[in-house]
């Protein structure tokens, strides 16, 4: 029959213990759709948090999940609709034993290190190669305007 296989609850628990994301939860209680905030480690993205959605296939884990960024980001590997260039979750690279936390870790790594090989926006990739200082300035400005506040910024802690 058509049994929908959700990722096991321990995958959500495991992903929740990871420091690279916070506010991780099923969207509207739907275990096939998670949302949360990604917390990049490298400037300029590290000044903000980026809301993402991870949508699992009804054929999980045989088919890969799909990550989308809900927060706008100035990054060559993420298009204007939030689609992400993530080889790990492409049909040809997907391995059913890959866990959700690995998908999120890979996504964060990709955000942290814009790569001119993994590209959905050619013009940004070009800018990063030809005029890196322009790219980083625009990325910083964009992050300031669009990213959500990081949870640690909501606490009254002095910045390091």
């Amino acid at each position: 029959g058509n049994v929908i296989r959700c990722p096991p609850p321990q995958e959500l628990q495991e992903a929740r213990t990871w420091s690279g994301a916070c506010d991780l939860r099923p969207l509207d209680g739907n275990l096939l759709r998670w949302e949360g905030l990604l917390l990049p480690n490298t400037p300029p993205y590290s000044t903000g948090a980026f809301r993402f959605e991870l949508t699992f296939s009804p054929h999980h884990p045989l088919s890969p999940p799909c990550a989308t960024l809900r927060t706008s980001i100035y990054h060559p590997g993420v298009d204007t609709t939030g689609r992400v260039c993530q080889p790990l979750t492409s049909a040809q690279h997907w391995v059913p034993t890959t866990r959700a936390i690995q998908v999120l870790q890979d996504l964060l790594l990709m955000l942290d290190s814009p790569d001119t090989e993994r590209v959905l926006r050619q013009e940004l990739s070009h800018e990063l190669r030809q005029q890196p200082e322009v790219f980083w300035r625009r990325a910083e400005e964009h992050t300031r305007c669009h990213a959500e506040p990081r949870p640690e910024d909501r606490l009254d802690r002095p910045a390091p």
Side-chain angles (χ1 to χ4, degrees):
N2 289 335
V3 182
I4 299 234
R5 308 235 329 251
C6 293
Q10 63 263 30
E11 283 215 42
L12 182 59
Q13 295 306 25
E14 177 186 44
R16 277 184 170 146
T17 63
W18 175 53
S19 62
C22 63
D23 287 351
L24 191 60
R25 59 178 173 269
L27 199 60
D28 306 323
N30 179 353
L31 280 171
L32 285 177
R33 288 178 72 191
W34 297 2
E35 72 152 8
L37 281 174
L38 276 175
L39 307 170
N41 298 302
T42 49
Y45 309 116
S46 54
T47 57
F50 295 84
R51 193 159 294 282
F52 69 89
E53 209 171 289
L54 189 61
T55 309
F56 294 90
S57 154
H59 310 290
H60 181 82
L62 302 177
S63 303
C66 171
T68 355
L69 277 195
R70 291 276 165 254
T71 306
S72 175
I73 189 170
Y74 197 84
H75 192 294
V78 185
D79 76 7
T80 49
T81 65
R83 273 197 328 127
V84 175
C85 179
Q86 196 174 16
L88 179 70
T89 57
S90 64
Q92 60 270 41
H93 293 118
W94 178 249
V95 192
T97 51
T98 308
R99 300 194 311 288
I101 189 170
Q102 293 169 295
V103 173
L104 296 177
Q105 286 165 339
D106 180 69
L107 177 61
L108 190 68
L109 190 64
M110 187 214 112
L111 292 186
D112 272 335
S113 41
D115 182 351
T116 51
E117 300 299 303
R118 297 201 279 182
V119 173
L120 288 174
R121 293 170 74 185
Q122 290 300 339
E123 75 284 5
L124 296 195
S125 169
H126 185 78
E127 185 178 88
L128 177 57
R129 271 202 309 271
Q130 307 293 324
Q131 304 172 285
E133 64 296 335
V134 174
F135 173 86
W136 292 115
R137 194 175 64 240
R138 288 178 174 165
E140 187 179 356
E141 179 64 22
H142 195 95
T143 302
R144 197 163 48 241
C145 296
H146 297 276
E148 298 196 25
R150 287 170 80 97
E152 64 263 29
D153 297 343
R154 297 201 286 255
L155 308 172
D156 294 320
R157 267 221 310 258

